Amino acid sequence: MLHRIEGEQLVKAVDLNGHLVRLKIQPAADTAMLLIEFPQNEPPEIRTAAACYVREWFGLDEDLEPFYAMARKDPLLAPVVSAHRGLRLIGIPDLFEALAWAIIGQQINLPFAYTMKKRLVETYGEALPGEDPWSGPERFFPRPDVIAALTPDDLRPLQFSGRKAEYVIGVAQLLEEGRLSKRSLLRMEAAEARETLLAIRGVGAWTADYVGMKCLRHPSAFPAADAGLHQALKIGLGLGRKPLPAEIEQAAAGWRGFEAMATFYLWQSLL
DNA sequence: AACCAGGGAAGAT
DNA sequence: ATCTTCCATGGT
């Protein structure tokens, strides 16, 4: 799989400037630090790249206090941040993975979406040598050039609908052709990046904001139409039904600048 | 069986 | 511009 948990260790294969390494990440005892373990001696620049990767993946450079100061005064968020104190927004640093995962998750239940992603990774993702007897080898998320060469019929056996297959392949082709890149999106203002994403077939407001949250780390990205967010509001506000657009707007009125964190914490409250 | 699920495109008005 | 329909599939 893409990553696995082994006791206290999180294991993931990552591509660091062309170096394919298996990282083992675990909390360092009695400190607030993380320990990153390498299988063999890697040069210092790769160790640094690994640290940067982990910092971005888990948003370690973000100061949570301003968000907490806001959330403590918000009756909906207060109990959620209290229950998950210290949690950071777990990102999806790779743009193709973020877009593909968002498209896969459109309009289907989450367990099935995970199954589809797993099939995609195990069918088209490159394996890192060395195998775990139970979970199989660590795999990388499929490279855009591999998916770009497929036709929708190739993905049908994985139970992709024709549309999902078209969307994912189309995004892979944009990336492979260099007409879309995370680097260029990060150079733009958040609103411009959002418009760029919305122009892609298969990417609507929800997907653009999801990618803004999880990949570009735009603090104000807010997938207001998200079904999980609606579920959290239904429960948190005791509505007994899905919230109306006006109720969502009212709930989020005080979240300015922290919409992404608020949404992420509310998703956590559903687990 | 009906409705929902971490929507979006295409067509209709 | 905004509303409606269709897309596909598994879970509850």
Side-chain angles (χ1 to χ4, degrees):
Chain A
M1 257 319 265
L2 270 179
H3 61 80
R4 68 173 193 272
I5 310 281
E6 266 181 14
E8 289 271 282
Q9 277 195 332
L10 171 61
V11 184
K12 182 181 175 75
V14 293
D15 180 343
L16 303 168
N17 310 325
H19 282 65
L20 307 183
V21 294
R22 179 185 287 100
L23 299 183
K24 297 186 175 180
I25 305 159
Q26 61 186 325
D30 301 323
T31 76
M33 295 192 293
L34 290 175
L35 212 59
I36 305 176
E37 181 184 322
F38 293 86
Q40 65 259 58
N41 286 336
E42 294 286 346
E45 61 270 23
I46 296 307
R47 304 171 67 87
T48 304
C52 288
Y53 182 90
V54 173
R55 298 188 84 82
E56 183 186 356
W57 187 11
F58 298 121
L60 299 186
D61 293 321
E62 184 174 356
D63 180 8
L64 293 174
E65 279 313 316
F67 168 62
Y68 286 157
M70 179 281 287
R72 271 194 291 269
K73 293 179 286 189
D74 183 300
L76 179 64
L77 293 177
V80 180
V81 297
S82 168
H84 300 277
R85 178 157 305 277
L87 177 71
R88 288 153 187 284
L89 197 156
I90 300 169
I92 306 176
D94 180 69
L95 178 60
F96 182 47
E97 183 177 345
L99 275 164
W101 171 235
I103 290 166
I104 288 171
Q106 288 171 3
Q107 192 57 21
I108 60 173
N109 61 74
L110 227 30
F112 180 47
Y114 284 124
T115 300
M116 289 174 70
K117 182 180 181 183
K118 187 168 190 285
R119 289 177 182 149
L120 185 71
V121 167
E122 291 178 351
T123 307
Y124 294 105
E126 184 183 348
L128 191 72
E131 180 148 353
D132 179 271
W134 285 280
S135 346
E138 267 80 50
R139 288 181 186 276
F140 299 93
F141 193 78
R143 291 155 45 99
D145 58 299
V146 172
I147 303 303
L150 302 180
T151 66
D153 280 343
D154 294 319
L155 295 178
R156 298 308 294 263
L158 314 189
Q159 284 180 286
F160 277 60
S161 66
R163 290 290 172 79
K164 272 191 207 307
E166 288 172 24
Y167 296 166
V168 171
I169 292 169
V171 166
Q173 289 171 344
L174 287 176
L175 288 162
E176 199 263 341
E177 294 161 6
R179 300 205 286 136
L180 174 70
S181 74
K182 182 177 181 183
R183 192 163 49 87
S184 67
L185 291 176
L186 285 176
R187 276 201 300 264
M188 303 173 189
E189 295 296 319
E192 187 186 355
R194 185 174 188 274
E195 291 304 314
T196 303
L197 289 168
L198 284 174
I200 300 168
R201 182 170 145 84
V203 177
W206 178 83
T207 302
D209 290 321
Y210 182 88
V211 170
M213 272 182 70
K214 300 273 284 186
C215 185
L216 306 179
R217 290 192 167 277
H218 291 155
S220 295
F222 182 41
D226 180 76
L229 177 72
H230 297 173
Q231 180 69 8
L233 262 54
K234 171 184 171 181
I235 296 168
L237 300 174
L239 293 174
R241 54 166 173 76
K242 284 201 307 186
L244 304 170
E247 291 168 329
I248 298 166
E249 191 181 341
Q250 186 188 351
W255 301 352
R256 301 295 151 125
F258 303 103
E259 288 91 340
M261 284 296 290
T263 301
F264 187 74
Y265 267 75
L266 288 170
W267 284 343
Q268 291 301 312
S269 74
L270 299 173
L271 299 180

